[in-house]
């Protein structure tokens, strides 16, 4: 039996609503399962973010917000950072 692989994108202290919306759109385009935000410095549900998300609006609205990076990565088995 194979285990289903999931991909999560984690943004640490994102400061731009337009950037967050764009990343949500990319997550939808590339079948990323979840967007996680660590201590965002802006409102990720602002109108600007939603406008940029386009078809990624659902991912944006379901994005999980974490206080620190450790909690955002606690259930991950492989982590790749850039």
């Amino acid at each position: 039996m194979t285990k289903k692989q999931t991909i999560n994108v984690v943004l640490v202290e994102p400061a731009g609503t337009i950037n967050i919306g764009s990343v949500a759109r990319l997550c939808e385009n590339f079948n990323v399962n979840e967007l996680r935000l660590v201590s965002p410095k802006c409102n990720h549900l602002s109108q600007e973010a939603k406008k940029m998300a386009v078809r990624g609006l659902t991912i944006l609205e379901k994005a999980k917000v974490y206080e620190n990076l450790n909690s955002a990565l606690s259930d991950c088995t492989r982590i790749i950072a850039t």
Side-chain angles (χ1 to χ4, degrees):
M1 177 167 54
T2 60
K3 182 179 177 183
K4 181 184 174 198
Q5 293 184 341
T6 60
I7 298 175
N8 302 315
V9 170
V10 180
L11 299 178
V12 179
E13 296 183 358
T17 56
I18 292 173
N19 289 340
I20 295 172
S22 297
V23 171
R25 183 177 69 240
L26 288 169
C27 287
E28 178 64 28
N29 289 344
F30 290 98
N31 294 317
V32 171
N33 304 91
E34 187 176 291
L35 175 60
R36 298 178 180 191
L37 307 172
V38 178
S39 300
K41 304 299 181 193
C42 60
N43 178 8
H44 70 285
L45 295 175
S46 72
Q47 199 58 34
E48 283 182 321
K50 290 179 179 182
K51 185 176 179 181
M52 286 303 294
V54 190
R55 285 180 290 185
L57 183 59
T58 301
I59 287 182
L60 179 66
E61 290 174 339
K62 290 182 178 181
K64 294 182 181 178
V65 178
Y66 295 85
E67 288 185 23
N68 57 63
L69 184 58
N70 285 339
S71 60
L73 300 176
S74 66
D75 63 339
C76 298
T77 56
R78 181 173 294 156
I79 300 164
I80 301 170
T82 62

